[in-house]
Amino acid sequence: MKTSDFFYELPKELIAQTPVQPRDSSKLLVLGRNNGEIEHKHFYDIIDYLEEGDCLIANDSRVLPARIFGVKEETGAKVEFLLLRQISGNKWETLCKPAKKAKVGTRFDFENGLLKATIVEAKEDGNRIVDFECDENFFATLDKIGQMPLPPYITEKLEDKERYQTVYSNELGSAAAPTAGLHFTTELMDKIKAKGVKIAYVTLHVGLGTFRPVKVDDVTKHKMHSEHYEIPEETAKIIKETKALGKRVIAIGTTSCRTLESVSSTFGEIKACDGWTDIFIYPGYEFKVLDGLITNFHLPESTLIMLVSAFAGYDNIMNAYKTAVDEKYRFFSFGDAMAIL
């Protein structure tokens, strides 16, 4: 299977630049997993497709305001830092632009001394290991000076940082939002629970690798990035109970999906655990846990459109995407949603 098989034409004007208000008023394309049938709804209608005893799995990771701008103490040159991964304490792996100005030993100042940094290592891939210093809590400082690391296809300024967080975000650590969850409001979640649908949480900290293009022609040769996940005891218990009752486990987003399928593939069951996953799901993969998936519309030739094609069938997905373009759905992070059930 070739990467080019997952290409589709997308007019630029269909790339959503801002989130809709309220969150659950976005459009929802409902796709029959087995028959490929399509219905056009709004996201608040999702409750009509959920049944008592079903279980929704949500990723409660919270996005770091990980884009910060520093100046070299020696020259005043400006450099953009994007925090990718906490190594220990205030030491982080970062992406620096321009990297040539961030040599080992160079010191930087942020917001007139509110935060300082020293480059301690240059990695082979060009990323930098940076040691930060601040008087107060690092994350509190980051909240004051950091910007949301919006994907490169979003060019408009985000007025409210919380619109790039899910309403149930809790565990700080992602470099990008698990965007399928952006459609849920607190009120909608309360209605879903009142219907007898359980909502359980996993944590997968989304890395920037999620935006990296597939650069090989043969899909099977692509190497996935690695991301940290955790499944709590309570979530594992709920999933097992749901399956035992013959009800559906429905993932909110590809990150929740990858967490569940990775753990099941590794251990042969869902259990409380944490670790790193680089699972790559593409057509031919046999799903072990998932019965349904709520997701956004993904970039052409991306690992995410490959994942949904594995779940719903290649022909069904490519037809659904063509239909979504024809019907002028909004695409990508702030765009509309698809439910595959």
Side-chain angles (χ1 to χ4, degrees), residues 22-319:
R23 290 172 182 256
D24 62 356
S25 63
S26 56
K27 289 200 282 189
L28 175 69
L29 186 150
V30 183
L31 175 65
R33 183 185 180 192
N34 296 321
N35 58 22
E37 289 183 2
I38 290 172
E39 294 180 86
H40 300 291
K41 300 288 183 176
H42 286 93
F43 194 81
Y44 49 71
D45 295 317
I46 190 70
I47 193 168
D48 297 334
Y49 294 86
L50 303 175
E51 300 167 4
E52 183 178 354
D54 284 346
C55 171
L56 288 178
I57 304 295
N59 180 7
D60 64 3
S61 182
R62 188 166 173 81
V63 185
L64 287 163
R67 180 170 276 128
I68 54 178
F69 298 86
V71 294
K72 285 178 72 170
E73 288 187 350
E74 288 180 0
T75 65
K78 292 182 180 179
V79 174
E80 177 184 335
F81 289 68
L82 190 59
L83 306 183
L84 301 177
R85 180 172 66 92
Q86 185 179 23
I87 295 170
S88 62
N90 288 351
K91 190 177 286 187
W92 287 75
E93 181 176 347
T94 70
L95 188 64
C96 297
K97 290 198 300 187
K100 64 183 179 182
K101 293 185 186 293
K103 294 177 180 173
V104 173
T106 309
R107 286 184 57 79
F108 289 86
D109 180 279
F110 303 80
E111 297 290 327
N112 298 316
L114 204 58
L115 183 67
K116 289 182 178 291
T118 305
I119 310 296
V120 296
E121 183 186 336
K123 292 172 64 72
E124 284 184 12
D125 59 7
N127 291 348
R128 300 295 194 261
I129 305 301
V130 182
D131 203 355
F132 290 98
E133 309 157 33
C134 55
D135 291 331
E136 62 175 356
N137 178 276
F138 176 78
F139 292 105
T141 303
L142 198 61
D143 202 45
K144 287 179 184 175
I145 69 173
Q147 296 180 15
M148 281 297 170
L150 295 178
Y153 48 75
I154 294 177
T155 56
E156 291 196 23
K157 183 176 171 57
L158 181 64
E159 297 300 331
D160 178 6
K161 281 189 200 177
E162 282 301 308
R163 289 313 306 272
Y164 197 55
Q165 306 279 16
T166 62
V167 295
Y168 49 77
S169 65
N170 191 47
E171 301 294 331
L172 201 59
S174 275
T179 55
L182 295 178
H183 304 279
F184 285 88
T185 64
T186 304
E187 293 76 18
L188 179 59
M189 293 185 81
D190 287 343
K191 288 178 183 174
I192 288 170
K193 290 175 189 171
K195 191 173 181 177
V197 176
K198 290 182 177 168
I199 301 177
Y201 298 94
V202 298
T203 303
L204 181 137
H205 291 316
V206 187
L208 283 185
T210 193
F211 299 118
R212 286 191 185 130
V214 178
K215 293 182 176 178
V216 292
D217 291 332
D218 182 351
V219 165
T220 63
K221 300 285 193 263
H222 177 67
K223 173 69 175 141
M224 282 290 285
H225 57 289
S226 189
E227 295 167 318
H228 191 263
Y229 70 83
E230 181 177 354
I231 295 184
E233 189 74 54
E234 177 67 12
T235 297
K237 180 169 170 282
I238 289 171
I239 291 171
K240 287 177 181 175
E241 289 173 351
T242 303
K243 287 290 190 182
L245 291 170
K247 297 296 184 177
R248 297 176 300 174
V249 173
I250 300 166
I252 300 173
T254 56
T255 58
S256 299
C257 163
R258 290 179 67 240
T259 301
L260 298 181
E261 293 297 323
S262 180
V263 169
S264 183
S265 295
T266 302
F267 301 105
E269 63 172 342
I270 290 295
K271 68 176 195 172
C273 59
D274 67 278
W276 292 84
T277 178
D278 61 357
I279 190 171
F280 180 22
I281 297 174
Y282 54 88
Y285 176 86
E286 291 188 14
F287 285 82
K288 299 161 185 65
V289 183
L290 230 59
D291 302 300
L293 178 64
I294 296 167
T295 186
N296 278 19
F297 291 94
H298 305 294
L299 277 74
E301 301 184 334
S302 64
T303 60
L304 303 180
I305 193 173
M306 294 172 190
L307 183 153
V308 295
S309 295
F311 187 67
Y314 173 81
D315 290 339
N316 287 345
I317 285 295
M318 299 314 287
N319 179 58

Side-chain angles (χ1 to χ4, degrees), residues 3-11 14-15 296-302 304-306 308-309 314 317-326 329-332:
T3 300
S4 57
D5 292 335
F6 297 90
F7 179 79
Y8 64 92
E9 294 285 351
L10 180 68
L14 295 185
I15 300 174
N296 278 19
F297 291 94
H298 305 294
L299 277 74
E301 301 184 334
S302 64
L304 303 180
I305 193 173
M306 294 172 190
V308 295
S309 295
Y314 173 81
I317 285 295
M318 299 314 287
N319 179 58
Y321 271 61
K322 182 182 182 304
T323 302
V325 170
D326 292 343
Y329 274 67
R330 301 164 80 245
F331 279 66
F332 306 161

